[in-house]
Amino acid sequence: MRTHPADSLLTEKLRASRHRVTSQRLVIYRELHARKQHVTADQLLDAVSPALPGIAIPTVYATLFLLEELGLVRRVSTGTGAVLFDSQVDPHAHTVCRSCGALADLADGPGIPPEALRSATDAGFAPDHAQLLIWGRCADCVAAGAH
Amino acid sequence: MRTHPADSLLTEKLRASRHRVTSQRLVIYRELHARKQHVTADQLLDAVSPALPGIAIPTVYATLFLLEELGLVRRVSTGTGAVLFDSQVDPHAHTVCRSCGALADLADGPGIPPEALRSATDAGFAPDHAQLLIWGRCADCVAAGAH
DNA sequence: ATGACTGCAAACTCTTTGCACAACA
DNA sequence: TGTTGTGCAAAGAGTTTGCAGTCAT
């Protein structure tokens, strides 16, 4: 398999955590990185199937959980439909439309307030990530008058 | 049915939105308010069953969705297990433990940064709620050395 | 009286589990 | 060569749907 820009970080993290470097893990991570959007396990399965014939959904889930553990992927859940996985691992905000369900990154939004993390730490909690969900109506649904 | 402190707000909102005032809705809302914690639809079913013999889970879901629409309940989802419903509707932060899965309110945490809502509004999004999820390890799991 | 709501049963989606074979180290 | 990882099938959890009867208005 040819190497790919996203491979080195994953390979390094896998080795460091004594996990094996497999083509499934490489290809899934590449795909997550290629699209800078949020994807479901199922969409990912479809996306990597050409490169990994015969891959099955449990492998996709297992890989996503491992990537999450390694801090290379974050999960985003609105509580409706499938969980989304995000290759952008820096704390950031998402908007969730109550009408169409669309989830979007809040472009150039503010970061996560440091006081929040400090406050969690003060309570004995050891934070490693944060995400802000903003609920409401997206511009399209407002324009369409959808409720 | 005797009246209850939480009834008036619900009744008012139901009337205003031309929905009917039923005992199922009243009791479910009371129960949500009684416990100031996060509950699943299933826990709620168990909790209200004594007061509402024969109530079924689809009714609980339907009621929760309606309450959410009326802004009387918020959903919180970590992407693992069942969705949680929260009667505290003001924007606030939650901590999520990666080890034990516990979800807790971040006591006296900072509010949601106004810049975030402003930034969403600037993008044409009409926000009505926000929630911050802070991921990591809870104090108990840190103390127990769980991974 | 009429339309909304509820209870029931069943379906459906998404996710997880258990096990045998494959393949990384 | 010894595990760890993968593919398969199936089960499981949580949620949603359709419909007939009930009840608030």
Side-chain angles (χ1 to χ4, degrees), chain A residues 59-145:
Chain A
T59 302
V60 177
Y61 278 105
T63 304
L64 285 169
F65 296 163
L66 177 59
L67 292 175
E68 189 186 18
E69 205 179 302
L70 298 177
L72 296 173
V73 154
R74 300 299 184 191
R75 83 173 52 202
V76 184
S77 173
T78 62
T80 302
V83 172
L84 296 165
F85 292 88
D86 191 347
S87 63
Q88 192 186 333
V89 296
D90 315 301
H92 62 285
H94 293 105
T95 53
V96 188
C97 180
R98 291 193 192 275
S99 296
C100 67
L103 184 132
D105 280 320
L106 184 54
D108 90 307
I112 302 298
E115 315 93 79
L117 295 180
R118 184 155 10 94
S119 166
T121 305
D122 290 349
F125 191 90
D128 61 30
H129 178 60
Q131 61 190 111
L132 179 62
L133 275 192
I134 300 176
W135 296 79
R137 294 280 170 72
C138 71
D140 289 353
C141 286
V142 169

Side-chain angles (χ1 to χ4, degrees), chain B residues 14-25:
Chain B
L14 286 173
R15 294 239 154 88
S17 58
R18 305 216 187 338
H19 287 281
R20 296 182 176 174
V21 178
T22 66
S23 52
Q24 286 83 352
R25 289 171 180 170

Side-chain angles (χ1 to χ4, degrees), chain B:
Chain B
M1 174 170 323
R2 304 258 289 282
T3 62
H4 187 278
D7 292 356
S8 54
L9 177 60
L10 174 58
T11 301
E12 185 185 312
K13 289 249 189 187
L14 286 173
R15 294 239 154 88
S17 58
R18 305 216 187 338
H19 287 281
R20 296 182 176 174
V21 178
T22 66
S23 52
Q24 286 83 352
R25 289 171 180 170
L26 289 169
V27 173
I28 288 174
Y29 187 55
R30 288 178 188 177
E31 183 61 35
L32 272 162
H33 249 263
R35 351 177 147 199
K36 287 273 180 205
Q37 350 162 0
H38 318 100
V39 287
T40 64
D42 217 56
Q43 292 171 331
L44 216 37
L45 177 68
D46 289 347
V48 301
S49 281
L52 299 167
I55 189 174
I57 193 69
T59 302
V60 176
Y61 278 105
T63 303
L64 285 168
F65 296 163
L66 177 58
L67 291 176
E68 188 185 19
E69 205 178 302
L70 298 177
L72 296 174
V73 154
R74 300 300 183 190
R75 83 173 52 203
V76 184
S77 173
T78 62
T80 301
V83 172
L84 296 165
F85 293 88
D86 191 348
S87 63
Q88 192 186 334
V89 296
D90 315 300
H92 61 285
H94 293 104
T95 53
V96 188
C97 179
R98 292 193 191 276
S99 296
C100 67
L103 184 132
D105 279 321
L106 183 54
D108 90 309
I112 301 299
E115 316 91 80
L117 295 179
R118 185 158 5 96
S119 167
T121 306
D122 290 350
F125 191 90
D128 61 31
H129 178 59
Q131 60 190 96
L132 179 61
L133 275 192
I134 300 176
W135 296 80
R137 295 279 169 73
C138 72
D140 289 352
C141 287
V142 169
H147 31 227

